[in-house]
Amino acid sequence: MLELIDTYWLYFLVGQYPQGPLGGLVLTILLSGAALVLAMPLGLLLGVARVSPYRAISLPVAGLVQVVRAVPLLLVLFWVYFFLPAVTGVKTSQATTMLMVLVVFDSVYLAEIVAAGMRALPKGQLESARSLGLGYGAALRHVVLPQTLRHGLPSIVNQLVSTIKATSLGYIIGLSEVSFIATQINTLVFTQAVEVYLILALTYFILCFGLSRLAFLLERRLQRPTAHLVQAS
Amino acid sequence: MIVLDKVNKYYGDYHALVDITERVENNEVLVVCGPSGSGKSTLIRTLNRLEEIDSGKIEIDGRDIHARGLDVNALRAGIGFVFQSFNLFPHLTVLENCTLAPVKLGRATKLEARDYAMQLLERVGLAHKRDAYPNALSGGQQQRVAIARALAMRPPIMLFDEPTSALDPEMVGEVLQVMRGLAGEGMTMVCVTHEMGFARDVADRVWFMAEGKILEQATPQEFFANPRHPRAQQFLADRRRD
Amino acid sequence: MLFDPSILQSGEYHGWLVQGFILSIQLTVISFAFALPFGALVAVMRTSTFAPLRALGATVVEAIRNVPLLAHLLFWYFAFPELLPESAREILYANNPEVVCAVIALTLYAGVHMAEDIRSGIRAVPATQLEAARSLGLGRAAAVRLVLLPQALRASVPPLLSQTVNLWKDTSVATVIGAAELMYQAARVETASFRSLEAFTFATLAYLTVSLVISLLAHLFQRRYPVRTT
């Protein structure tokens, strides 16, 4: 096992970089992080739309969420990678395709997190902001969303974990993420399949479990009793 | 200053406000009291349109607050509202709570807003807490900050929706003291409250409400000594028993 | 680039797609059948009063949950057979190893997620319920069986149905080890005919329909058996 790690650790970590595009664990992490960051603005927008009292706004978003959650990510990946180039004439790289699809999925899940957080915030917060004369947009920006995002942070970290796991699907369209690299290593070495895939599993475990623990600790910190917050009946 | 003309509000089939027709004069301190479910909170919340009405007219400073094209935000900026549950912004310090609206609405520069907010916090006795977060304050302290926050917008009218009902008894006094101070300065105030002592001492008039109607309106002296409406008599008798 | 629905209705490609759809359904049903009892077992372990059992349950859940399904599939298909004795390996390879390994991976992955749903269902039942049952004289096992579990399961059904939708979608990943389910066949049709539009539309409609049917079931269940609290 140790010589295996010794020989291939760099390949596992960064793929063929710099002699080729970036791959491996670093690609997995960068793609996931980038997807989540890029999805935030859209997720915020969709989340706010989701709780809008105007059904003309909230229903289409609810519909979009339902549709995105009803189809496998892999299917969307296939659509974008195989079908879209025929329509647009532009063939996107595996990494770009993966990123686009991840952003779509992440923004939908982030929208749900934002919407849930907004619904959970006491009504009085928005009311007092509006009572001071702040418009709805200003009230969202300065009072509602800062609190929503703070309370939603554990869920957002969990969404990052989901995204990391989702990048593995890039394997199927030939993206050189870490599972793909592991299989390449397995093909080269051939006789140590168990070791290779155990290392792969362990890598994901450390990364994802570590982040989940972070989310858990964040959640605990947020629930620390806040003194003197008297709730009126 | 405030004119209500045949104001009605329904929640589904429930008639929450029934033909309310009354006036509040400039510099007047008005106390609205009555049993729970009488519509007092609903009424006061219609004044800054936190609740909408189904029929009738409300005028503030001569302007119909439901007129087409009226800027609701500007209306609310001109009315201070103090909530039963304080509703301070927990992610901002006490000082930031007070400066947020004036600055973001362009009413004052950051410096001006800070200075005025500090004056107000001095007045409510909490200048030393300016950098604290709301969750470090007691209920009474939070409510005093809430009053300062509302005053920071320099509104000509202050509305209080049961400001002391959520407080432990020993903290009620400090909030009432601030309110008395405001009344003494001539602020136009409408207060929904159960604090009869405050009503007796400070109010210019008392409205008694039950089942969505204003059943009696009188000066505190008249009201407490000689309530005319049987419901008002019942209400005061119950209160005296507590 | 015109949409030609004919291949969706008959012919060789149609046959492939239908076969793929059927296998996807089979994978879902078989995995579900194994995952639910596995999940229930793990949930009971995690809520046990015996600490080592709780620790074991937690370990199983975290170990499986934090690794993506694709990596599980790769492990069971490429690594696991190496661990088997020669004879067992031969039997595996002779009997649809792609499907067998897919079922194992899907069962474990869906199972631990179901375990968490059942566990939260158990936790949703107030402790006072068990106390009341015990006060009547019921032993712990009987109290769990007659009072706790029925209420826990009712609370668990909506998230479990949601998990079933996830399982249905996850069968698509089995394509990575060559299981000839719907995605595999859709890609196969695309390679053979370049008719990606029709093939992917078929797949999309199939996934959408089954997902929405399961979600509808969840919705109806919640309407008919709402969680009643005292």
Side-chain angles (χ1 to χ4, degrees):
Chain A
M1 172 101 76
L2 285 177
E3 331 87 66
L4 186 66
I5 299 177
D6 198 47
T7 322
Y8 291 103
W9 70 273
L10 191 61
Y11 183 45
F12 187 76
L13 207 56
V14 292
Q16 292 182 327
Y17 190 80
Q19 281 81 31
L22 185 62
L25 185 58
V26 171
L27 178 65
T28 294
I29 295 176
L30 284 182
L31 261 182
S32 314
L36 199 65
V37 167
L38 289 174
M40 272 311 284
L42 187 56
L44 271 175
L45 202 62
L46 289 174
V48 171
R50 185 79 186 80
V51 299
S52 164
Y54 300 112
R55 296 184 73 173
I57 300 179
S58 67
L59 284 184
V61 177
L64 174 69
V65 171
Q66 277 287 63
V67 168
V68 168
R69 294 177 83 162
V71 290
L73 197 151
L74 186 59
L75 181 58
V76 180
L77 199 58
F78 274 21
W79 271 110
V80 176
Y81 193 62
F82 294 117
F83 177 69
L84 211 55
V87 169
T88 60
V90 177
K91 181 139 177 53
T92 45
S93 72
Q94 291 105 331
T96 317
T97 309
M98 190 79 234
L99 187 62
M100 292 193 304
V101 173
L102 284 176
V103 168
V104 168
F105 270 74
D106 271 347
S107 44
V108 166
Y109 285 103
L110 283 173
E112 287 293 275
I113 293 172
V114 169
M118 282 178 72
R119 284 190 206 113
L121 197 65
K123 214 169 62 133
Q125 286 295 303
L126 182 61
E127 280 191 344
S128 56
R130 300 296 318 268
S131 299
L132 288 166
L134 291 167
Y136 186 61
L140 279 188
R141 242 185 83 211
H142 298 292
V143 173
V144 174
L145 288 177
Q147 296 184 59
T148 302
L149 289 175
R150 204 161 296 201
H151 289 126
L153 204 50
S155 299
I156 294 174
V157 173
N158 278 323
Q159 189 55 35
L160 178 61
V161 173
S162 294
T163 310
I164 289 173
K165 294 195 290 180
T167 57
S168 64
L169 295 182
Y171 176 123
I172 298 175
I173 57 169
L175 179 67
S176 307
E177 48 72 55
V178 68
S179 304
F180 187 85
I181 299 287
T183 303
Q184 300 291 81
I185 296 175
N186 184 44
T187 317
L188 286 171
V189 175
F190 207 68
T191 52
Q192 292 187 286
V194 176
E195 287 88 336
V196 170
Y197 287 112
L198 275 181
I199 292 174
L200 178 65
L202 198 62
T203 307
Y204 274 120
F205 179 80
I206 294 174
L207 188 56
C208 296
F209 185 65
L211 283 171
S212 318
R213 288 306 291 178
L214 177 65
F216 177 72
L217 288 173
L218 279 173
E219 180 140 31
R220 264 239 306 255
R221 255 185 86 205
L222 284 172
Q223 273 169 6
R224 256 198 324 222
T226 39
H228 313 297
L229 270 184
V230 180
Q231 287 287 41
S233 48
Chain B
M1 176 63 100
I2 304 178
V3 178
L4 296 145
D5 187 19
K6 297 217 191 50
V7 172
N8 281 283
K9 181 177 176 63
Y10 293 85
Y11 285 116
D13 285 334
Y14 177 65
H15 201 167
L17 294 176
V18 182
D19 276 340
I20 307 281
T21 304
E22 274 291 348
R23 301 172 59 95
V24 181
E25 305 298 337
N26 266 334
N27 310 117
E28 189 173 16
V29 176
L30 179 72
V31 164
V32 182
C33 65
S36 17
S38 54
K40 329 187 278 295
S41 279
T42 310
L43 180 61
I44 201 177
R45 286 162 63 96
T46 59
L47 296 178
N48 74 342
R49 293 183 60 177
L50 280 179
E51 303 282 351
E52 293 294 354
I53 61 178
D54 291 302
S55 71
K57 198 159 75 151
I58 303 179
E59 276 180 12
I60 296 189
D61 213 15
R63 283 191 323 264
D64 180 355
I65 70 174
H66 296 95
R68 271 175 162 275
L70 181 112
D71 183 0
V72 170
N73 298 324
L75 169 74
R76 289 177 178 150
I79 302 176
F81 199 100
V82 177
F83 294 84
Q84 182 176 0
S85 47
F86 342 130
N87 290 334
L88 291 182
F89 307 134
H91 61 300
L92 300 176
T93 63
V94 161
L95 185 60
E96 286 166 350
N97 261 272
C98 297
T99 58
L100 176 71
V103 171
K104 295 301 171 188
L105 292 172
R107 296 241 171 154
T109 64
K110 274 202 195 152
L111 223 49
E112 289 166 353
R114 274 197 59 198
D115 284 340
Y116 190 56
M118 285 305 297
Q119 277 180 49
L120 291 171
L121 288 172
E122 283 277 4
R123 218 165 91 177
V124 303
L126 288 169
H128 59 296
K129 292 282 191 185
R130 67 175 183 272
D131 292 322
Y133 283 91
N135 66 356
L137 271 53
S138 72
Q141 291 172 325
Q142 288 190 52
Q143 192 63 299
R144 286 188 273 152
V145 173
I147 297 175
R149 179 176 69 172
L151 289 171
M153 291 294 289
R154 307 182 196 250
I157 307 174
M158 285 286 283
L159 305 177
F160 294 84
D161 186 1
E162 301 210 37
T164 57
S165 299
L167 294 176
D168 289 339
E170 64 268 17
M171 293 192 261
V172 168
E174 65 200 53
V175 173
L176 289 180
Q177 191 182 11
V178 172
M179 290 168 67
R180 280 176 218 261
L182 273 179
E185 289 164 18
M187 171 70 78
T188 311
M189 293 165 61
V190 179
C191 311
V192 173
T193 184
H194 294 298
E195 293 294 326
M196 296 297 118
F198 175 81
R200 228 190 296 258
D201 298 340
V202 181
D204 295 310
R205 265 194 307 155
V206 173
W207 289 357
F208 175 76
M209 281 187 77
E211 283 150 23
K213 307 191 194 75
I214 299 180
L215 294 179
E216 186 162 337
Q217 66 95 4
T219 65
Q221 293 74 27
E222 290 164 10
F223 181 71
F224 288 108
N226 261 324
R228 284 189 305 265
H229 198 281
R231 285 287 252 124
Q233 291 162 2
Q234 177 78 51
F235 176 73
L236 286 173
D238 288 341
R239 295 250 123 208
R240 248 173 260 131
R241 245 185 291 123
D242 289 333
Chain C
M1 174 45 65
L2 287 171
F3 186 86
D4 177 11
S6 64
I7 71 149
L8 298 187
Q9 288 151 341
S10 64
E12 186 184 20
Y13 301 140
H14 167 77
W16 291 355
L17 291 170
V18 170
Q19 269 176 0
F21 178 69
I22 292 175
L23 183 60
S24 291
I25 299 275
Q26 287 171 331
L27 283 173
T28 308
V29 171
I30 301 172
S31 305
F32 181 88
F34 285 118
L36 191 57
F38 172 66
L41 180 65
V42 172
V44 169
M45 278 167 64
R46 289 204 71 174
T47 51
S48 154
T49 42
F50 188 46
L53 214 53
R54 278 203 312 270
L56 181 59
T59 311
V60 167
V61 170
E62 295 300 335
I64 294 179
R65 191 161 64 163
N66 287 294
V67 177
L69 180 60
L70 189 122
H72 283 288
L73 285 161
L74 294 174
F75 175 83
W76 290 105
Y77 190 65
F78 291 120
F80 170 67
E82 306 297 313
L83 295 168
L84 293 175
E86 184 77 41
S87 48
R89 204 180 316 157
E90 307 258 299
I91 299 176
L92 176 65
Y93 283 151
N95 285 295
N96 243 323
E98 295 83 11
V99 173
V100 171
C101 295
V103 168
I104 299 175
L106 286 167
T107 298
L108 291 176
Y109 197 71
V112 296
H113 287 100
M114 289 183 183
E116 289 300 275
D117 291 332
I118 297 174
R119 185 167 80 111
S120 68
I122 291 176
R123 288 212 301 220
V125 180
T128 46
Q129 287 291 304
L130 255 189
E131 280 172 13
R134 298 305 303 277
S135 313
L136 289 169
L138 290 170
R140 183 179 163 82
V144 167
R145 191 166 52 88
L146 297 168
V147 173
L148 179 64
L149 275 183
Q151 295 186 62
L153 284 176
R154 178 175 292 204
S156 309
V157 167
L160 280 177
L161 281 175
S162 168
Q163 211 50 249
T164 309
V165 172
N166 288 339
L167 175 58
W168 163 243
K169 293 188 294 173
D170 285 343
T171 58
S172 62
V173 188
T175 187
V176 72
I177 57 173
E181 47 67 62
L182 184 53
M183 285 310 296
Y184 180 98
Q185 298 288 17
R188 192 177 164 209
V189 169
E190 194 269 337
T191 317
S193 70
F194 295 107
R195 307 211 80 88
S196 57
L197 179 60
E198 291 83 347
F200 293 160
T201 304
F202 183 98
T204 306
L205 288 173
Y207 282 111
L208 265 177
T209 313
V210 175
S211 297
L212 291 177
V213 163
I214 302 177
S215 296
L216 191 67
L217 272 171
H219 185 70
L220 287 175
F221 182 86
Q222 262 184 311
R223 276 248 298 260
R224 189 131 181 266
Y225 298 107
V227 177
R228 280 184 295 244
T229 48
T230 48

